Amino acid sequence: MSPSVTSQPTALNLAIAHGLPCQRLSQVFALQREQAPEVAVKVHEVSSGELRAGLQAGWYDVGLSLTMGADLDFSCEPLWRERMVAVLPAESPLIVQADLSLDDLLQFSVLRWPAEACDGLEERLSALSGGRRDAIQDVTSFDMLALQVAAGYGVGVTAESRSDRLAGWGITMRPISDGFYELVTSLVLAASRSSPVAEQFVQRMRRIAANH
């Protein structure tokens, strides 16, 4: 009798751009494990440029990005959105206000993580800052943003879903009052390439997105 052959699980290569909030993605993974436990999802955290190149080369099946623009080589579909908020150190004089304008924030250095770039917010901050060099300071990670805000070196802007990570730093979150600034997580696929496994994963992401 010939030995039985055990089929290997199908793999899905998912590329996630740096800085992308993953709260809702965790719900997608839970649904994926429930409905397709035989599929091994391999997550690759990459830059936006690497995501684009990898999708085109076939290294990744599905991409999630914050910064993909229109391109004939890719299909790009907004999945979910979340607002940007201001974050303050515990001793900030702004803490007495229920919400904050960008002018309020620009009384201090505004710390931002470029991986969370929000075009509308960037443009408005730049316009209001009047070219002041110290007005907007870039940091290299969310943890560096939280560290410097907690130490009183400025105020910050970040995605609202990161608020649960701020509590341990003694940092307070406030809405921004003079505009709705949001991060948009987009689904990115190579226009010329797809697979049944990728299509099923995409449908699960769309289902989670539709419920929020």
Side-chain angles (χ1 to χ4, degrees):
M1 180 182 295
S2 60
S4 60
V5 177
T6 303
S7 60
Q8 295 297 315
T10 305
L12 174 82
N13 284 287
L14 173 65
I16 300 176
H18 294 307
L20 189 139
C22 292
Q23 186 178 53
R24 291 181 190 168
L25 189 55
S26 67
Q27 299 172 38
V28 177
F29 285 168
L31 188 60
Q32 176 76 12
R33 287 197 308 273
E34 176 188 332
Q35 298 185 350
E38 75 283 0
V39 176
V41 179
K42 299 180 179 179
V43 179
H44 309 265
E45 189 177 16
V46 297
S47 69
S48 294
E50 290 167 333
L51 184 146
R52 183 188 296 265
L55 283 172
Q56 204 158 33
W59 304 333
Y60 312 129
D61 302 298
V62 178
L64 290 173
S65 179
L66 296 172
T67 57
M68 286 293 293
D71 192 315
L72 293 177
D73 293 329
F74 303 93
S75 65
C76 187
E77 171 188 337
L79 278 179
W80 45 74
R81 303 167 185 266
E82 65 174 293
R83 66 177 179 172
M84 299 290 286
V85 296
V87 291
L88 314 171
E91 70 279 6
S92 172
L94 298 177
I95 211 163
V96 297
Q97 298 179 213
D99 52 32
L100 300 168
S101 70
L102 296 183
D103 279 328
D104 291 330
L105 298 182
L106 284 165
Q107 298 174 51
F108 309 89
S109 288
V110 177
L111 302 165
R112 69 180 189 105
W113 179 23
E116 287 187 320
C118 169
D119 290 343
L121 181 58
E122 301 297 313
E123 292 169 6
R124 188 66 180 143
L125 280 171
S126 295
L128 291 173
S129 67
R132 241 177 58 222
R133 285 193 171 185
D134 63 341
I136 305 168
Q137 301 290 324
D138 289 348
V139 296
T140 55
S141 68
F142 174 79
D143 282 347
M144 285 303 299
L145 185 148
L147 171 64
Q148 292 190 51
V149 170
Y153 288 114
V155 297
V157 288
T158 192
E160 184 176 24
S161 65
R162 302 196 197 280
S163 60
D164 59 340
R165 295 179 58 187
L166 297 173
W169 291 91
I171 293 174
T172 298
M173 180 186 76
R174 290 289 185 270
I176 298 171
S177 61
D178 50 354
F180 189 82
Y181 303 103
E182 59 185 8
L183 285 183
V184 181
T185 296
S186 292
L187 165 67
V188 187
L189 300 170
S192 60
R193 188 177 293 107
S194 186
S195 71
V197 167
E199 289 172 5
Q200 290 162 10
F201 186 78
V202 165
Q203 289 305 317
R204 293 182 182 106
M205 285 197 289
R206 287 173 177 153
R207 193 179 314 166
I208 294 298
N211 291 331
H212 291 83

